[in-house]
């Protein structure tokens, strides 16, 4: 495991990228068929700090004429000094229909859990529209607006059910062997707008060979009404290798 960890950091020290829905759906133009990637993140440290972490993820997109299907799954597990301190999972399904060249209709479902944020489960179902603001060879910008209904089961607290707006703005820069992407999400509770979630994700990806990339993602998440004892702000920096097909 230690040799795998050393290889992991050598391959990801200088330039990275991240596995992102917006990056995949905007890349490769409007080509039909299946494309996607599988990613692995590993950490094994001992001595002054005893820490291990494993992360797996897959992101797949199938396009057929005016129809687009996206499947994303992520899982992370970690321990520090023999005690479990990370266990979370995420599943996302999305269907998109091309109404016009620059306008799409979306339907999505998401399920997730995070043991160390006291989230036993979160299930949401939503819809919305996606508009293309800029589509150049190297620069692409898209804006989405919609809504979803979510149901949460929270540890040692009352379960919650909320309708929320779902707004996002995404930017993608692509070069031959390099890619930069950024996405902003704003999700207010329509029954109480002071309760909102904000997420900013930034990532870069560099190509090692045609089907292998190295990646880095930084994300900042803010929840203004988290469960009792859970902080409002959460920052995550991840790096890894991705196999693309």
């Amino acid at each position: 495991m230690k040799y795998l960890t050393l290889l992991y950091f050598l391959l990801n020290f200088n330039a990275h990228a991240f596995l992102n829905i917006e990056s995949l759906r905007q890349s490769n133009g409007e080509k039909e068929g299946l494309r996607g990637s599988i990613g692995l993140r590993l950490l094994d440290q001992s001595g002054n700090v005893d820490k291990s972490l494993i992360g797996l993820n897959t992101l797949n997109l199938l396009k057929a004429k005016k129809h687009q299907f996206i499947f994303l799954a992520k899982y992370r597990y970690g321990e520090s000094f023999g005690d479990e301190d990370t266990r979370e999972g995420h599943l996302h399904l999305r269907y998109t229909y091309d109404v016009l060249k620059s306008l799409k209709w979306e339907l999505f479902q998401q399920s997730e859990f995070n043991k160390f944020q006291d989230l036993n489960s979160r299930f949401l179902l939503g819809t919305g529209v996606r508009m293309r603001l800029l589509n150049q060879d190297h620069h692409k910008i898209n804006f989405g607006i919609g809504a979803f209904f979510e149901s949460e089961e929270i540890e040692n607290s009352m379960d919650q059910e909320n309708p929320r707006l779902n707004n996002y703005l995404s930017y993608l820069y692509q070069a031959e062997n390099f890619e930069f992407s950024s996405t902003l999400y704003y999700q207010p509770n329509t029954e109480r707008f002071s309760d909102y979630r904000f997420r900013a994700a930034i990532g870069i990806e560099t190509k090692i060979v045609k089907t292998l990339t190295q990646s880095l993602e930084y994300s900042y998440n803010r929840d203004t009404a988290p469960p009792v004892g859970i902080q409002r702000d959460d920052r995550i920096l991840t790096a890894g290798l991705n196999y693309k097909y």
Side-chain angles (χ1 to χ4, degrees), residues 181-244:
S181 54
S182 175
T183 310
L184 304 176
Y185 295 91
Y186 175 63
Q187 299 172 331
N189 184 339
T190 59
E191 298 176 334
R192 183 162 50 95
F193 275 83
S194 61
D195 173 12
Y196 67 86
R197 299 196 189 107
F198 172 80
R199 179 176 185 264
I202 299 174
I204 39 179
E205 182 171 69
T206 53
K207 184 185 296 184
I208 301 174
V209 295
K210 184 177 181 180
T211 59
L212 186 65
T213 64
Q214 53 185 355
S215 64
L216 176 72
E217 176 185 6
Y218 173 79
S219 65
Y220 167 75
N221 300 277
R222 181 173 179 83
D223 185 349
T224 60
V228 176
I230 302 300
Q231 295 186 15
R232 291 186 175 187
D233 300 312
D234 202 20
R235 299 169 180 84
I236 303 174
L237 179 65
T238 58
L241 298 174
N242 303 301
Y243 171 75
K244 290 195 168 185

Side-chain angles (χ1 to χ4, degrees), residues 103-164:
L103 179 67
K104 305 176 187 294
W105 170 74
E106 299 184 311
L107 178 68
F108 55 90
Q109 184 276 322
Q110 185 169 300
S111 304
E112 60 185 302
F113 70 91
N114 190 327
K115 178 179 178 181
F116 293 91
Q117 289 186 358
D118 289 346
L119 181 63
N120 293 333
S121 67
R122 174 184 290 137
F123 176 87
L124 63 88
L125 181 65
T127 187
V129 294
R130 173 184 175 86
M131 293 161 281
R132 180 181 297 169
L133 302 181
L134 180 66
N135 187 29
Q136 298 180 351
D137 289 341
H138 296 294
H139 305 276
K140 296 177 173 63
I141 299 176
N142 284 267
F143 173 72
I145 183 169
F148 60 85
F149 183 82
E150 70 176 1
S151 176
E152 296 180 313
E153 181 182 329
I154 300 172
E155 185 77 16
N156 299 322
S157 184
M158 291 182 60
D159 298 342
Q160 297 186 24
E161 294 184 345
N162 301 300
R164 290 184 181 271

Side-chain angles (χ1 to χ4, degrees), residues 49-106:
V49 176
D50 187 359
K51 173 72 177 178
S52 61
L53 179 70
I54 182 170
L56 301 170
N57 59 66
T58 181
L59 176 56
N60 304 273
L61 183 149
L62 175 64
K63 183 169 178 61
K65 296 183 178 179
K66 292 187 176 183
H67 308 277
Q68 188 182 88
F69 303 88
I70 292 175
F71 168 75
L72 178 151
K74 296 193 294 185
Y75 179 78
R76 290 203 313 154
Y77 177 84
E79 295 182 356
S80 294
F81 298 101
D83 294 326
E84 179 185 3
D85 63 357
T86 303
R87 180 147 59 93
E88 59 182 287
H90 182 107
L91 176 67
H92 185 94
L93 304 172
R94 182 176 294 252
Y95 166 74
T96 303
Y97 177 77
D98 295 350
V99 180
L100 300 170
K101 189 173 182 179
S102 59
L103 179 67
K104 305 176 187 294
W105 170 74
E106 299 184 311

